[in-house]
Amino acid sequence: MSTHPAHAALPLLYVRSRALPLTAATLAGIALVAAWAADWLQDQPYFDHTARVPVVVLAPLLASSAIGTGLHSHSDELDRTAVRRWWPLRLLHLLALTAVTAGVLAAAVPGHPEEFGVPAMVRNVLGATGVAAASAALIGARLSWLPMTVYGGAVYLAAPRDPGGAAAVWAWPMQPGPQGAAWAVAVTAYAAGVALLVVRGARPERG
């Protein structure tokens, strides 16, 4: 059974309409800067692995902003009139970018998994990407960076120094890796954001 040319070309059209190469290049740049910053911070006098908190918080925030804005479609009409449904491509798009981002950013903070190492970085990538995906569906991809940026900045400034307690829920990006409540919030945010984006797509924008 031969594949219809329009069906075979759909993934390529999707990639072109989302500027995925630019998003991938941006994520690579963020990962390189994060690796340099984490290494530099930890090498400073009187600092230990907790010095990597800014990297664990800010790198996922920047990466999720790149992923969210990359969900913008330059051809909304194509999305609405395509012969096949787009949701499998949206799902694959988000899952692939999330996996790659979590992997490369986790490599930027090796060691100390019980504190601000790989688990905290992966958790924050999941949570921030979920918020960005939900924002793209609700307010549009071009502004999808805004809610997580405002929230992440507020949490960074207001979170208590001692982990756990209620802060593990509302200040989940600032928690060490093993905090179960922080993981629950981040995974829930990711699942909800992905589901919303996959079902609805990014909100159509004009201009």
Side-chain angles (χ1 to χ4, degrees), residues 60-161:
L61 193 156
L62 293 173
S64 68
S65 296
I67 292 173
T69 54
L71 295 172
H72 172 70
S73 174
H74 298 282
S75 54
D76 294 333
E77 295 80 6
L78 179 62
D79 283 20
R80 294 193 295 269
T81 60
V83 176
R84 294 176 62 185
R85 294 180 178 179
W86 287 81
W87 73 262
L89 290 176
R90 294 190 194 116
L91 179 60
L92 180 61
H93 177 179
L94 273 178
L95 293 180
L97 284 182
T98 303
V100 171
T101 302
V104 296
L105 288 184
V109 286
H112 306 290
E114 74 285 358
E115 293 292 344
F116 295 98
V118 171
M121 181 68 86
V122 171
R123 180 201 63 215
N124 286 357
V125 168
L126 291 176
T129 302
V131 173
S135 301
L138 296 175
I139 65 176
R142 287 175 174 172
L143 290 177
S144 61
W145 58 271
L146 185 58
M148 189 62 208
T149 299
V150 172
Y151 175 72
V155 165
Y156 186 80
L157 295 175
R161 299 178 66 89

Side-chain angles (χ1 to χ4, degrees), residues 17-31:
S17 69
R18 264 76 179 179
L20 272 174
L22 178 59
T23 302
T26 302
L27 293 174
I30 292 170

